Amino acid sequence: MRPQPRPPRWTSGSRRPPTRRAALAAAALAPLLLATCGQPDLLEAFGWETPSRGMVVAEHPLAVEVGLKVLREGGNAADAAVATALALAVVYPQAGNLGGGGFALWVTHRGDASALDFRETAPVTADAARYLDFDGELVPERAKSGPLAVGVPGTPAGLQALLEAHGSGSWSLRRLARPAIELAREGFRVDPWLAKALRAEPARTRLMKSPAARRRFYPGGEPLREGQRLKQPELARTLDRFARFGSPGFYGGETARAIVRELRRSAGLEPDDAVPAQGWIDFPDLERYEVRWREPLRGRFRGKEIVTMPPPSSGGVAVLEVLALLDGLPLETEAAGLERGEEARRGGFELGTDDLVWNDRLLHWWIEALRVAFADRAVHLGDPDFHVVPIEELLDPERLAAERARFGQRARPDVAAWAEAPRPEGTETTHVSVVDSDGNAVSLTTTLNSSFGSGILVEDGGFLLNNQMDDFAIRPDAPNQFGLVGSEANALEALKRPLSSMTPIVVRDGGHANSLVMGSPGGPRIITSQIGVLLRTLVFRQDPRAAVLAPRLHQQWRPARTEFEEGWQQAVLDRLGARGHEVLVKTERWASVQLIALDERGGPPVGISDPRRGGVAGLEGEPVPAPHLPLPDQPDPLTGEVR
Ligand code: DON
């Protein structure tokens, strides 16, 4: 199914005359309009102007620069997102990719929306038994490195589909890929974030096992250092084939041969060894890969509309479930006791400071809502093409009201997932947020799963392959690398898509316009971090920047504890402890929210790239700002290893 909204010309991706002009026309026509009625489009245009400029927020300044240039030269949000994502595949190999997959939301100014699923699929010969040892125990590394870790990549097909469906039509894939090809061919300077990621484990060990990755990233056995030039000629050629021939230039021909050869090599086989039913990707898997267009999920919260990704994203359902649970609670009344923190205000808005002093009952509700949603995630969510996902039941207001009534005053670590039978019929990801001056938004998250994915660099292709198979619940109750457990719904099956936490979100205001565009990397912390930003901005009226910088909390049902970034007031954590919550404060910071806020009608967007990583928010027509720098490497307190 390809629900292709065909919006009226002036809200589609093409560079129509700005809505402001339409607004003026509407103003002139207002008396006639009111007399004739029945002109909702013009009334909307009259009521809500498009942003004055476009914006790109992503995790590398060079990629942001590429996207901004596309906007400046008349491309729309989809054109810019595709060019940015291709550039990230070159300059941000930790997560930007051709060999991974992802999701994208397209939402026009007036709210026509579509959701694109270009998640990886399991190969046709995939078999859960291959990930188990002789005693039937999961061998976790098999789903994270080596040929069995790799799902059939979806990114090339996804970017092409996004462009074909929603691009302005005046930018070809060839033109959009040009800057990425040039960055790959001519090289770019390694930034401190890439240098740090290459030093970190387990990525280093995995990459060192791949001869091509070792040569590319560890010349002479040592990781590339900040400032060194990284040229990727094979990647430039792969991008060029993709740019010229589209998907067939990746899923067939030379690139397909390079992928299959590399996987055989990584399994210790000779390139031409014929191995039937090997359990990993072969030519037919690549040939048959298809994206899916899905109906976006739409929910309401505090007078806003939330547009987000349906399964196989778990994040959309989880975000809507948590917000619906909390919507029925008197958050604002409790917030009366929520003070603005003098200390944080005095210290300015540094990462991890908060301008709110929290009350423990609010946090208790927030945590319990997460616990319920993550319990449901573990039991009910999976690829909807393989498993009936009971979305309506999970989001049913009556059942959520009953669940909410059980919150009580104390933690409920043993809360169970929704238990009725479904109806019989059945560290590494990166995010790009874009708006154009027509008000179109693209929220695109893409991933290799772990940092540098499986670590397998395709020798003659120059790109890394994902390790997305770890996102399946290969054995029920055996946690994956994010500690997530799953069930039948997310069991590994041939051709199935693994459940994901990636959650692109667009918040809409008054049915008129996009007001927030966001997404994040971070595994399950993608979901909890964005819920935090939504609560802080929509309920507690925190400024979007302060909401992104503020400390985060994470609760995912199993394990039962709730993790907190540093910066929460100790007193409130103690009171949560007294309510039976297991509280763990962590020194690390997580996720990386890439947010665009469109507060001022007809004004410029405001962007925030989470300072937890090195991204930037670039405004059309302005120079790209300098990115944040990583903290110096810290020795691991247990092993002494530098991370
Ligand atoms: O799709 C998922 O849920 C995971 N593969 C995402 C991994 C991730 O976000 C790691 N990034 N930091």
Side-chain angles (χ1 to χ4, degrees), residues 59 95 101 103 119-120 312 314 377 427-430 445-451 467-468 470-471 480-482 484 498-503 520-527 591-592 613:
E59 291 197 292
F103 301 133
R119 184 76 165 152
E120 297 89 334
S314 62
R377 178 197 194 278
T427 285
E428 196 67 70
T429 303
T430 191
T445 317
T446 175
T447 185
L448 286 168
N449 199 17
S450 300
S451 185
N467 59 353
Q468 222 68 250
D470 189 54
D471 276 350
N480 74 355
Q481 64 171 313
F482 301 108
L484 291 165
L499 185 63
S500 173
S501 300
M502 290 184 288
T503 317
S520 175
R525 288 167 170 76
I526 294 170
I527 301 172
S592 175
R613 296 211 200 160

Side-chain angles (χ1 to χ4, degrees), residues 33-119:
L33 212 64
L34 291 174
T36 53
C37 293
Q39 297 287 335
D41 289 355
L42 282 179
L43 282 175
E44 276 179 27
F46 181 45
W48 212 287
E49 294 173 51
T50 51
S52 60
R53 293 197 247 177
M55 173 164 258
V56 179
V57 186
E59 291 197 292
H60 199 293
L62 290 173
V64 170
E65 181 123 38
V66 166
L68 284 178
K69 188 161 183 288
V70 173
L71 289 182
R72 224 169 29 239
E73 294 178 10
N76 73 0
D79 299 327
V82 168
T84 308
L86 289 172
L88 283 169
V90 177
V91 298
Y92 194 60
Q94 303 93 305
N97 65 82
L98 291 179
F103 301 133
L105 274 184
W106 161 265
V107 188
T108 67
H109 185 61
R110 282 182 56 240
D112 301 301
S114 46
L116 176 62
D117 164 2
F118 54 98
R119 184 76 165 152

Side-chain angles (χ1 to χ4, degrees), residues 38-385:
Q39 297 287 335
D41 289 355
L42 282 179
L43 282 175
E44 276 179 27
F46 181 45
W48 212 287
E49 294 173 51
T50 51
S52 60
R53 293 197 247 177
M55 173 164 258
V56 179
V57 186
E59 291 197 292
H60 199 293
L62 290 173
V64 170
E65 181 123 38
V66 166
L68 284 178
K69 188 161 183 288
V70 173
L71 289 182
R72 224 169 29 239
E73 294 178 10
N76 73 0
D79 299 327
V82 168
T84 308
L86 289 172
L88 283 169
V90 177
V91 298
Y92 194 60
Q94 303 93 305
N97 65 82
L98 291 179
F103 301 133
L105 274 184
W106 161 265
V107 188
T108 67
H109 185 61
R110 282 182 56 240
D112 301 301
S114 46
L116 176 62
D117 164 2
F118 54 98
R119 184 76 165 152
E120 297 89 334
T121 55
V124 69
T125 55
D127 177 0
R130 291 179 188 269
Y131 299 77
L132 309 180
D133 65 13
F134 288 122
D135 301 324
E137 293 301 319
L138 181 69
V139 186
E141 195 56 22
R142 283 192 199 158
K144 294 188 236 170
S145 63
L148 291 174
V150 186
V152 183
T155 298
L159 297 182
Q160 187 180 355
L162 180 63
L163 181 66
E164 282 173 1
H166 298 300
S168 63
S170 48
W171 283 71
S172 64
L173 191 57
R174 279 174 95 145
R175 190 166 164 214
L176 291 171
R178 214 169 282 149
I181 294 172
E182 202 169 303
L183 283 164
R185 192 183 294 131
E186 304 303 323
F188 65 97
R189 288 201 186 290
V190 170
D191 71 337
W193 294 90
L194 174 54
K196 187 180 169 89
L198 288 169
R199 291 193 296 269
E201 292 295 353
R204 181 183 179 136
T205 303
R206 287 184 191 149
L207 289 165
M208 289 290 272
K209 282 194 200 141
S210 161
R214 200 167 52 228
R215 268 199 307 281
R216 167 92 343 115
F217 298 122
Y218 301 87
E222 287 305 313
L224 288 171
R225 285 186 316 277
E226 182 184 344
Q228 280 184 293
R229 203 162 190 85
L230 173 57
K231 291 190 185 184
Q232 303 173 86
E234 299 84 4
L235 180 55
R237 285 194 288 277
T238 301
L239 280 163
D240 184 58
R241 283 192 295 276
F242 173 55
R244 276 189 290 143
F245 307 116
S247 282
F250 181 88
Y251 295 92
E254 212 174 307
T255 310
R257 282 195 294 279
I259 294 173
V260 170
R261 213 167 32 235
E262 193 62 45
L263 289 172
R264 289 184 187 168
R265 190 183 356 240
S266 75
L269 299 167
E270 290 301 318
D272 296 323
D273 282 353
V275 194
Q278 57 206 358
W280 63 79
I281 297 171
D282 210 337
F283 294 108
D285 296 302
L286 295 165
E287 271 160 33
R288 76 194 314 162
Y289 183 82
E290 276 181 357
V291 303
R292 297 262 187 274
W293 286 99
R294 304 194 185 271
E295 206 52 59
L297 294 180
R298 291 175 185 260
R300 307 241 182 295
F301 180 69
R302 292 300 200 264
K304 306 270 184 185
E305 184 184 24
I306 317 276
V307 185
T308 184
M309 191 72 204
S313 164
S314 62
V317 174
V319 165
L320 295 187
E321 196 173 333
V322 169
L323 295 182
L325 282 164
L326 293 177
D327 213 11
L329 289 163
L331 304 177
E332 280 80 0
T333 318
E334 284 296 320
L338 195 72
E339 300 156 38
R340 297 268 147 185
E342 274 308 312
E343 207 179 302
R345 257 205 307 237
R346 270 202 307 275
F349 287 101
E350 295 303 319
L351 188 58
T353 58
D354 204 344
D355 69 341
L356 300 173
V357 176
W358 290 88
N359 118 1
D360 59 309
R361 199 140 83 121
L362 266 179
L363 286 190
H364 166 70
W365 288 339
W366 176 350
I367 295 167
E368 291 307 306
L370 288 174
R371 214 190 297 273
V372 168
F374 271 89
D376 287 334
R377 178 197 194 278
V379 174
H380 295 293
L381 298 192
D383 181 349
D385 296 343

Side-chain angles (χ1 to χ4, degrees), residues 593-615:
V593 173
Q594 310 298 308
L595 179 144
I596 299 177
L598 295 148
D599 285 343
E600 193 194 332
R601 293 183 201 183
V606 174
I608 303 111
S609 180
D610 202 324
R612 287 163 180 81
R613 296 211 200 160

